[in-house]
Amino acid sequence: MSVQTKRKAYVREMKATWWKNLDFYKMYMVREATCLANVWFCMVLLYGVISLGKGDLQDFIHFLQNPLVVVLNIASIGAMLYHAATLFTMTPEVMTFIVKNERLNPNILRNALWGVTGVVSLLAVILVYI
């Protein structure tokens, strides 16, 4: 049996601009907005796969050479680098690694993440030019 009350439940007001109050929230929203760059990259990749399937790769190459597409791709790279930088900064603070009963220095994990990113990027560049 539930107890009913005449008192109205308190519901805190939440405005649509809640994130504009603190710089931390603003940067959080910018980080979350980097998903739009990811959507753009996925659409370009899908268009490339469809063009490859049709055997019309030249059309895709012309699409990639469009100045607007070049600008959007550069902006997408910038957004992804920002996303990676904030992820690599937060990860050691959220994930704790215990080695010999001591917490691992967060800088070690952060540097390891950047190192792996650098190695994978270097391998990608090498594979492109082979």
Side-chain angles (χ1 to χ4, degrees):
M1 183 172 177
S2 65
V3 178
Q4 294 186 5
T5 179
K6 294 180 182 180
R7 191 182 304 180
K8 185 178 177 183
Y10 172 73
V11 178
R12 191 171 114 193
E13 181 182 357
M14 180 66 73
K15 295 181 181 177
T17 58
W18 63 267
W19 55 273
K20 291 183 178 181
N21 294 335
L22 293 174
D23 287 339
F24 174 79
Y25 293 141
K26 291 176 189 173
M27 297 314 292
Y28 171 78
M29 294 303 281
V30 169
R31 182 177 192 281
E32 292 300 309
T34 60
C35 72
L36 298 174
N38 211 5
V39 169
W40 166 253
F41 178 74
C42 289
M43 290 186 336
V44 170
L45 192 60
L46 179 63
Y47 180 54
V49 169
I50 290 170
S51 296
L52 185 62
K54 290 180 180 178
D56 191 14
L57 205 53
Q58 201 63 29
D59 185 42
F60 180 62
I61 292 171
H62 287 296
F63 169 75
L64 289 176
Q65 292 173 341
N66 184 327
L68 179 63
V69 173
V70 171
V71 168
L72 286 173
N73 284 339
I74 291 170
S76 180
I77 289 172
M80 289 298 103
L81 287 174
Y82 175 75
H83 186 87
T86 57
L87 178 72
F88 293 171
T89 301
M90 289 186 304
T91 299
E93 304 300 327
V94 176
M95 294 177 59
T96 57
F97 289 95
I98 307 297
V99 177
K100 296 182 181 178
N101 293 329
E102 289 188 27
R103 183 173 184 239
L104 189 64
N105 185 350
N107 290 330
I108 293 172
L109 181 58
R110 186 175 301 121
N111 293 339
L113 289 168
W114 279 113
V116 169
T117 301
V119 168
V120 169
S121 299
L122 184 63
L123 287 173
V125 168
I126 290 171
L127 288 174
V128 165
Y129 289 106
I130 287 182

